[in-house]
Amino acid sequence: MFDIVIADAVIISGNDHYRPFIGSIGISQERIEYAGTKRLTASDGRSFLNASGRIAMPGLVNGHCHGEMGFAKGAADNTTLWEQMHKFAENDWFYGELSEEDRFYTRQFTYAEAVLSGTTMLMENMYWSLNGELSQKAFHEIGLRGVLAEDVRYDFYQSDNFLSKEMLDAFIDSCKKYKLIPALGTLPEEEFTEKRLLEVRKIIEKRDAFFSSHLAETTWRHQSAVENMGGTPVQVLEKFGLLTDRYIGSHGVYLDDEDIAVYAKSGAKIVNTPICEMKIGDGLAPIPKLVRAGVPVALGTDGGMWNNSNDIFREMKCMSVIHNLQSGVRTFTPEAILDMATVNGAKLFNMEQEMGTIEEGKLADIILLDCTSPHMNPLRTGKNSNVSSAVVYCATGADVTDVIINGKEIVRDRELLTINIYKIQEKIQEIAERIFQ
């Protein structure tokens, strides 16, 4: 008997090139034990999900998010990142105004929003764990599969002060305790110096961890590298031994053809946040060229201040249509976009053999979408299927009804089962009103 049975779903997955079929999924412990056309019934599982009228697909991966900014939606509308760097420097990006309890609730709020809209794995980018394990606990209580990227500095305005060996080791141990993936956050281009980059390399080499930075995100950051270090951000990272298959570059907006060739050869990955980059005027990354060069490209949302949403479905549609406008209407198929949201997210952390598709033996990270609403119809599952198209162009996170992570039901019939979301929303309302009085 399976722990969970999903029956009569329209199943799509990258291992089958997203060819839809009506079938069932059987989950035992944290893994997919069966996925196929056989009709499973309630008697086959301890928990039964009747998925008639629903699409079953792999859970989505958000590869770049700043969870503690969930309270700040609308705070930076109609401003560029350059303007924000000055405007919010005065209060250190609210750092002094948020208590550790505030940060815990803001992260839980962000993670809850992400899970409810179909994200099953999320990378919390460039945060500090100086005051304990609250972010780890936020992930753990919700049940979200998490990656934490600890900034290797005490303060991004004081980039010569690096965390001690003991602090970094304690961070990695804490992540493992909560079954999270530890990562390290490194320098933006405006903070590049030879001394700092050598110190970062030393820190990275001592730990078997993934590491990330905001890569070539803006013209002024790119120019900082050129003026101060004599090369593009990619050239500088390569020179200092920081361009490896464990490096995850966020954004990657200003990369030229030479950068892309070097990047592809290194095995490094890219997380792109198209809505954020459009919203704050960063620019349009050369994603088609990166994909053609063989660079794994995944999706992220960035934080609430820069995007106002944690919905990867919106990122999928934006990624497709913005590049249609720039590079032609045949730039990306819906299936290529779905890969960016699922299996490519797994590739960020070398986990594509473990997750990202619905296959027997893989980790059970699965979401169900309601496809009975008018905006999801008509839905064709035959030879001329439009299911992938409907998911990319029609669906939003609001269509997600059920979320299973690591073989556990986290959302059922749109209800978050693990925490009291209404209590969290009340806390966030209080925090927002206090800070933005």
Side-chain angles (χ1 to χ4, degrees):
M1 177 174 283
F2 301 107
D3 292 334
I4 302 173
V5 164
I6 301 170
D8 295 324
V10 178
I11 301 173
I12 59 169
S13 176
N15 60 294
D16 194 31
H17 306 290
Y18 301 99
R19 285 191 288 267
F21 64 92
I22 309 297
S24 301
I25 301 168
I27 298 167
S28 292
Q29 298 182 2
E30 74 269 15
R31 295 190 179 269
I32 299 168
E33 188 176 341
Y34 174 78
T37 56
K38 183 169 69 175
R39 190 175 189 277
L40 300 178
T41 67
S43 63
D44 295 311
R46 296 178 181 86
S47 179
F48 179 76
L49 295 175
N50 180 357
S52 177
R54 299 182 187 184
I55 296 168
M57 62 178 288
L60 309 180
V61 179
N62 185 341
H64 184 96
C65 185
H66 298 273
E68 68 183 39
M69 285 297 173
F71 75 95
K73 296 177 183 180
D77 292 351
N78 306 111
T79 59
T80 66
L81 184 60
W82 175 259
E83 292 168 330
Q84 294 166 25
M85 292 290 287
H86 293 80
K87 178 178 179 180
F88 297 108
E90 296 176 5
N91 60 8
D92 207 9
W93 294 87
F94 309 106
Y95 198 79
E97 299 175 49
L98 292 170
S99 69
E100 284 307 302
E101 182 183 53
D102 291 340
R103 290 188 181 88
F104 172 75
Y105 284 118
T106 55
R107 286 174 184 147
Q108 271 211 331
F109 174 70
T110 297
Y111 304 160
E113 180 188 350
V115 168
L116 285 164
S117 60
T119 291
T120 56
M121 184 175 190
L122 179 145
M123 181 172 179
E124 172 73 58
N125 208 290
M126 307 291 285
Y127 92 112
W128 289 272
S129 64
L130 303 181
N131 294 299
E133 301 178 334
L134 290 180
S135 196
Q136 288 92 325
K137 290 177 181 177
F139 274 110
H140 179 73
E141 289 185 11
I142 289 178
L144 177 62
R145 192 182 297 281
V147 184
L148 281 171
E150 170 85 285
D151 198 318
V152 296
R153 304 161 294 165
Y154 285 98
D155 187 324
F156 51 67
Y157 289 113
Q158 299 181 41
S159 292
D160 290 312
N161 296 318
F162 292 89
L163 301 187
S164 68
K165 174 185 181 300
E166 291 74 20
M167 294 180 74
L168 289 170
D169 290 345
F171 159 74
I172 290 173
D173 289 344
S174 176
C175 286
K176 292 177 179 177
K177 169 184 168 184
Y178 286 94
K179 298 182 179 179
L180 304 173
I181 296 174
L184 299 174
T186 62
L187 304 171
E189 290 91 3
E190 69 269 23
E191 299 296 314
F192 280 3
T193 67
E194 182 174 349
K195 180 181 178 182
R196 291 169 181 169
L197 288 165
L198 288 172
E199 182 63 26
V200 168
R201 187 177 73 185
K202 188 187 304 181
I203 290 170
I204 296 298
E205 287 177 345
K206 288 181 178 178
R207 292 161 184 87
D208 185 27
F210 297 97
F211 61 104
S212 179
S213 71
H214 293 68
L215 175 69
E217 180 182 3
T218 65
T219 53
W220 52 270
R221 281 186 159 161
H222 183 281
Q223 191 61 26
S224 291
V226 173
E227 291 178 356
N228 298 331
M229 301 300 296
T232 68
V234 167
Q235 290 169 343
V236 175
L237 291 175
E238 183 191 33
K239 177 181 177 180
F240 284 87
L242 291 169
L243 204 63
T244 75
D245 62 357
R246 299 187 77 78
Y247 174 68
I248 300 165
S250 293
H251 307 296
V253 178
Y254 295 97
L255 304 177
D256 61 25
D257 290 349
E258 184 179 341
D259 289 333
I260 292 170
V262 170
Y263 207 88
K265 187 176 180 181
S266 74
K269 295 98 172 178
I270 285 284
V271 176
N272 192 241
T273 61
I275 291 178
C276 162
E277 283 141 29
M278 300 302 102
K279 184 175 184 292
I280 64 177
D282 281 351
L284 183 64
I287 301 301
K289 289 184 177 181
L290 285 161
V291 171
R292 287 197 295 270
V295 176
V297 175
L299 294 173
T301 60
D302 220 296
M305 177 178 282
W306 305 284
N307 184 327
N308 305 52
S309 168
N310 283 291
D311 186 344
I312 292 292
F313 286 98
R314 300 186 192 192
E315 303 296 332
M316 283 194 274
K317 184 170 184 176
C318 181
M319 176 66 83
S320 180
V321 299
I322 195 68
H323 288 289
N324 281 355
L325 181 63
Q326 180 75 11
S327 303
V329 295
R330 285 179 287 278
T331 302
F332 292 125
T333 64
E335 292 76 19
I337 298 293
L338 284 167
D339 275 348
M340 293 181 192
T342 56
V343 69
N344 285 10
K347 288 179 181 179
L348 295 176
F349 313 103
N350 298 336
M351 290 186 68
E352 63 269 29
Q353 301 304 316
E354 283 282 282
M355 55 178 283
T357 55
I358 297 178
E359 295 181 76
E360 293 174 8
K362 284 200 170 184
L363 293 167
D365 291 2
I366 298 168
I367 62 175
L368 301 183
L369 307 180
D370 181 0
C371 55
T372 63
S373 300
H375 70 275
M376 290 292 288
N377 275 269
L379 203 65
R380 304 188 304 272
T381 59
K383 181 179 179 181
N384 296 309
S385 165
N386 69 338
V387 176
S388 296
S389 176
V391 171
V392 172
Y393 295 117
C394 303
T396 72
D399 295 310
V400 174
T401 62
D402 299 81
V403 177
I404 295 168
I405 303 175
N406 212 37
K408 296 180 181 178
E409 291 183 75
I410 306 300
V411 176
R412 184 156 189 167
D413 290 331
R414 296 187 169 91
E415 179 185 354
L416 186 58
L417 303 178
T418 50
I419 65 168
N420 186 336
I421 186 61
Y422 304 105
K423 176 186 174 183
I424 302 297
Q425 287 180 224
E426 288 177 3
K427 289 283 188 181
I428 298 306
Q429 188 69 31
E430 293 171 6
I431 293 167
E433 288 180 358
R434 184 181 76 236
I435 289 179
F436 294 115
Q437 279 181 339

